[in-house]
């Protein structure tokens, strides 16, 4: 798959709350080769301390408009600078990078699990799965009801369950303690979020013999397999999260 390095136009910068915003981007190239789970390396101009590009997942793709979206959490100077971009501004990206989630097999029951900015790649994945004939269950975890984002978008692709840490919406607690895990049986679970959450889901899947793919968010520098700073220890030896991942079957990880 061809990688490109391009200046893209910001069509919209939509602020969702204090922490999250969505950039909708348009460029000249056709974007019909994007795969769910892939990411872009975003150059942050105007932030002298942000020397390296920042990896951000492809959140959504609009093939009719030929635009795509990045859902970004403000974590530090780089993402804060991106949050100030306005309509018509230019953003330089290297994309699409990394591997992708695999499709479910016929009649498999599928669950998507996301927490924090880990929900970002799951919308594109959910749409892709739905367009292939599956209606997934989706669990999204947030700190409280005020921090819930993109709820309506996920509702369009499947059955959505919410957890909040304070119980202000959905079930109280973390995604990992949601009752679907004891009441429903899945064949395949896709997961993205904090490491502790992905490790807990991975442990559950291994015990229950469920296929599980996680999207790792290891720190990255080059994003193209050159610097080896994103190494993950796997049963196949050391792998680069940026080119061998970010999506891994948990059976391949030494977790
Ligand atoms: C493949 C991949 C996809 C990603 N997709 C998204 C996405 O769709 N949306 C999104 O908001 N973020 C995503 N991230 C995380 C995002 O890249 C970081 O939050 C961002 O680089 C922080 O940059 P900064 O300059 O704002 O903050 P920095 O000053 O670089 O970091 C701020 C704080 O966040 C921590 N941090 C930085 N990067 C990460 C990371 N990868 N994992 C955990 N902690 C980190 C730092 O240690 C520091 O404590 C993704 C990361 C990877 C590797
Ligand atoms: S980020 Fe450089 S090798 Fe992965």
């Amino acid at each position: 798959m061809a990688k490109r390095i391009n200046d893209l136009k910001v069509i919209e910068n939509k602020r969702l709350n204090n922490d999250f915003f969505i950039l909708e981007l348009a460029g000249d190239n056709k974007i019909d080769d994007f795969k769910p789970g892939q990411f872009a390396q975003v150059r942050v101009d105007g932030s002298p301390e942000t020397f390296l590009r920042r990896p951000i997942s492809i959140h959504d793709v609009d093939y009719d408009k030929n635009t795509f979206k990045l859902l970004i959490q403000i974590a530090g100077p780089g993402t804060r600078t991106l949050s100030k971009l306005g309509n018509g501004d230019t953003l330089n990206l290297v994309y699409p990078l990394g591997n992708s989630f695999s499709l479910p097999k016929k009649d498999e029951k599928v669950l998507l699990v996301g927490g924090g900015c880990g929900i970002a790649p799951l919308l594109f994945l959910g749409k892709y799965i739905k367009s292939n004939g599956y209606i997934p269950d989706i669990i999204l975890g947030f700190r409280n009801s005020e921090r819930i984002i993109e709820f309506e978008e996920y509702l369009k692709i499947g059955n959505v369950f919410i957890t909040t840490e304070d119980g202000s919406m959905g079930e109280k607690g973390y995604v990992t303690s949601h009752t679907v895990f004891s009441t429903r049986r899945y064949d395949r679970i896709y997961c993205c979020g904090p490491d502790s959450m992905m490790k807990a889901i991975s442990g559950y899947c291994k015990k229950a013999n469920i296929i599980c793919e996680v999207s790792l968010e290891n720190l990255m520098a080059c994003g193209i397999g050159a610097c080896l700073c994103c190494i993950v220890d796997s049963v196949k030896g050391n792998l680069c999260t940026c080119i061998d991942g970010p999506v891994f079957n948990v059976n391949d990880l030494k977790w």
Side-chain angles (χ1 to χ4, degrees):
M1 186 181 308
K3 312 269 171 267
R4 33 226 200 238
I5 176 164
N6 262 343
D7 284 333
L8 297 160
K9 275 262 172 302
V10 177
I11 301 296
E12 189 184 15
N13 180 351
K14 185 175 167 193
R15 194 65 182 233
L16 302 179
N17 58 28
N18 279 346
D19 300 327
F20 282 91
F21 60 100
I22 291 181
L23 294 179
E24 182 171 11
L25 305 169
D28 298 334
N29 288 94
K30 282 301 251 183
I31 52 171
D32 48 11
D33 57 350
F34 287 9
K35 295 264 178 4
Q38 289 189 304
F39 65 98
Q41 280 280 72
V42 181
R43 194 178 76 203
V44 184
D45 297 331
S47 172
E49 63 268 68
T50 311
F51 185 66
L52 299 163
R53 287 174 182 266
R54 295 298 192 248
I56 303 290
S57 306
I58 292 166
H59 174 57
D60 198 6
V61 177
D62 187 325
Y63 296 106
D64 296 330
K65 282 164 71 185
N66 203 43
T67 64
F68 63 99
K69 292 180 183 171
L70 307 176
L71 168 66
I72 305 176
Q73 179 173 27
I74 299 173
T79 45
R80 187 168 302 110
T81 302
L82 295 176
S83 74
K84 293 177 187 146
L85 286 167
N87 298 2
D89 282 346
T90 296
L91 194 59
N92 185 275
L93 261 62
V94 182
Y95 67 105
L97 298 172
N99 67 354
S100 60
F101 292 101
S102 60
L103 257 185
K105 300 213 170 68
K106 194 169 178 300
D107 297 331
E108 282 186 347
K109 292 212 167 26
V110 175
L111 175 68
L112 276 51
V113 186
C117 70
I119 74 167
L122 300 184
L123 185 67
F124 184 26
L125 171 66
K127 284 190 174 179
Y128 189 74
I129 287 176
K130 193 180 175 201
S131 69
N132 280 278
Y134 301 88
I135 305 290
D137 283 355
I138 304 157
I139 310 181
L140 305 174
F142 301 95
R143 210 167 291 160
N144 56 48
S145 61
E146 280 163 20
R147 297 169 81 100
I148 293 174
I149 50 171
E150 292 287 83
F151 182 59
E152 303 295 329
E153 291 303 310
Y154 288 89
L155 272 182
K156 292 177 193 163
I157 52 172
N159 311 307
V160 184
F161 305 96
I162 298 286
T163 62
T164 48
E165 289 172 32
D166 66 355
S168 49
M169 187 171 161
E171 289 191 15
K172 185 174 180 178
Y174 295 117
V175 288
T176 45
S177 53
H178 197 280
T179 45
V180 293
F181 289 106
S182 52
T183 55
R184 298 185 181 206
R185 164 77 204 179
Y186 297 99
D187 302 296
R188 189 180 287 260
I189 296 181
Y190 302 98
C191 181
C192 187
D195 262 13
S196 55
M197 178 191 119
M198 293 194 286
K199 283 180 178 160
I201 298 287
S202 159
Y204 166 81
C205 289
K206 282 181 178 171
K207 267 195 207 138
N209 207 16
I210 296 168
I211 299 163
C212 181
E213 289 182 350
V214 291
S215 180
L216 301 187
E217 292 195 346
N218 290 16
L219 291 176
M220 287 184 184
C222 71
I224 52 168
C227 70
L228 306 184
C229 87
C230 64
I231 291 296
V232 58
D233 193 11
S234 86
V235 295
K236 299 168 183 168
N238 286 338
L239 296 177
C240 285
T241 305
C242 63
I243 51 170
D244 303 307
V247 179
F248 293 93
N249 185 310
V250 293
N251 290 331
D252 290 339
L253 296 174
K254 284 199 184 164
W255 275 4

